[in-house]
Amino acid sequence: MALFEAQKVHKRFGDHVVLEQIDLSFEENTLSGIMGPNGAGKTTCFNVLTGRYKPDRGRVMFDGRDITGKSPGAIAKMGISRSFQVMNVFDEYTVLDNVLLAVPRVRRRSLNFLHDLGNDSLSTDKACVVIGKVGLKGKEHTAASDLSYGERRALEIGIALAAEPRLLFLDEPTAGLGTEATAKLADMIRRIKEGLTIVIIEHEMQFLFSLADHINVVQWGQVVAGGAPDVLRANKWVQASNLGKLA
């Protein structure tokens, strides 16, 4: 059984149908992608999967449990983390403080962590491990506002990782990145993917095809193709579209 599934998901805004009969499944310990042209419905799909929008019809399942319509906070407590296309970090806090805020041990305690966690070496050690995984070792005490754009992207993923999720959703992680920073991000994702289920919505096709085990193509609010990167490259619909040229 897949770790995460969307079953016959339908979403409309007024008279505009954005998603129609969406079926998706993500296997545990794999990296899956969702791609499609602008306006295809992939962002709305992503927001339905992560609880920002409630589907009008259909179900969303995680580890055999129906999570349809649950809030993003409730979904996060179940073991699902996500990043955002628009970065969500605390600029005035250091890298370490940003990551500490997401450590479950810290979140469970009603403490002002800036004052009370100075001696909590266990939480600090966990945060430092995550910081190393996302390539920010040595930047622990740097303010988030002083990081480069690519480093801030890495920090946001680190914050999501610090929550110890079973499933990590990444929303357009390459947005705003140059070639070198995109390559560094790809290397980082390869480091963290072991033992973790990752789903990426992404416009950068070469980036996604180099990482994903399985990719779903969304167009006209529907899943029109799916498979391993090599399978999609051979798909006639993909070949005939601009996506095929990019892939």
Side-chain angles (χ1 to χ4, degrees):
M1 183 176 66
L3 178 65
F4 190 98
E5 293 181 274
Q7 303 170 351
K8 309 300 181 187
V9 166
H10 181 97
K11 183 65 182 176
R12 67 189 303 155
F13 296 99
D15 294 330
H16 181 47
V17 175
V18 183
L19 302 177
E20 186 172 6
Q21 298 290 93
I22 288 282
D23 286 306
L24 292 167
S25 64
F26 307 123
E27 299 294 328
E28 192 164 15
N29 297 329
T30 61
L31 193 153
S32 301
I34 299 174
M35 73 178 198
N38 290 336
K42 60 185 186 296
T43 298
T44 298
C45 179
F46 204 75
N47 285 329
V48 168
L49 299 182
T50 54
R52 185 172 181 183
Y53 298 151
K54 182 179 179 179
D56 298 312
R57 294 198 303 270
R59 296 197 305 169
V60 181
M61 307 289 294
F62 175 58
D63 198 21
R65 294 171 290 177
D66 190 338
I67 63 171
T68 311
K70 291 189 178 295
S71 69
I75 290 174
K77 289 179 181 178
M78 293 179 176
I80 299 175
S81 289
R82 69 165 290 179
S83 71
F84 294 85
Q85 187 173 355
V86 177
M87 281 185 285
N88 189 23
V89 301
F90 293 106
D91 284 341
E92 68 273 21
Y93 289 173
T94 66
V95 168
L96 178 60
D97 290 344
N98 267 282
V99 176
L100 267 173
L101 276 171
V103 173
R105 174 180 168 89
V106 175
R107 296 178 70 90
R108 286 194 297 265
R109 298 166 65 181
S110 298
L111 297 172
N112 181 333
F113 86 100
L114 289 174
H115 291 92
D116 299 325
L117 288 180
N119 297 319
D120 188 348
S121 59
L122 180 60
S123 295
T124 300
D125 289 346
K126 286 181 178 292
C128 287
V129 168
V130 170
I131 290 168
K133 284 183 177 180
V134 299
L136 294 177
K137 185 176 181 180
K139 302 272 187 176
E140 290 85 353
H141 301 292
T142 300
S145 58
D146 291 334
L147 298 176
S148 69
Y149 188 85
E151 289 170 338
R152 285 164 58 81
R153 280 283 175 200
L155 174 58
E156 189 189 29
I157 294 174
I159 293 168
L161 280 178
E164 300 176 6
R166 292 182 64 191
L167 174 58
L168 174 63
F169 282 98
L170 300 179
D171 186 3
E172 299 275 11
T174 69
L177 298 182
T179 302
E180 183 178 349
T182 297
K184 288 181 178 179
L185 179 64
D187 288 340
M188 183 260 281
I189 291 175
R190 291 187 185 98
R191 290 197 302 271
I192 68 174
K193 66 181 289 189
E194 185 174 354
L196 181 63
T197 307
I198 302 176
V199 179
I200 302 177
I201 182 173
E202 182 54 60
H203 68 282
E204 177 54 61
M205 296 299 100
Q206 292 183 357
F207 172 85
L208 192 56
F209 271 65
S210 72
L211 292 170
D213 301 300
H214 187 281
I215 298 172
N216 297 282
V217 181
V218 175
Q219 173 67 299
W220 307 298
Q222 299 175 318
V223 178
V224 297
D230 288 344
V231 172
L232 282 186
R233 288 190 181 98
N235 181 282
K236 291 182 179 179
W237 185 91
V238 174
Q239 288 179 346
S241 70
N242 286 332
L243 296 175
K245 297 174 183 177
L246 291 170

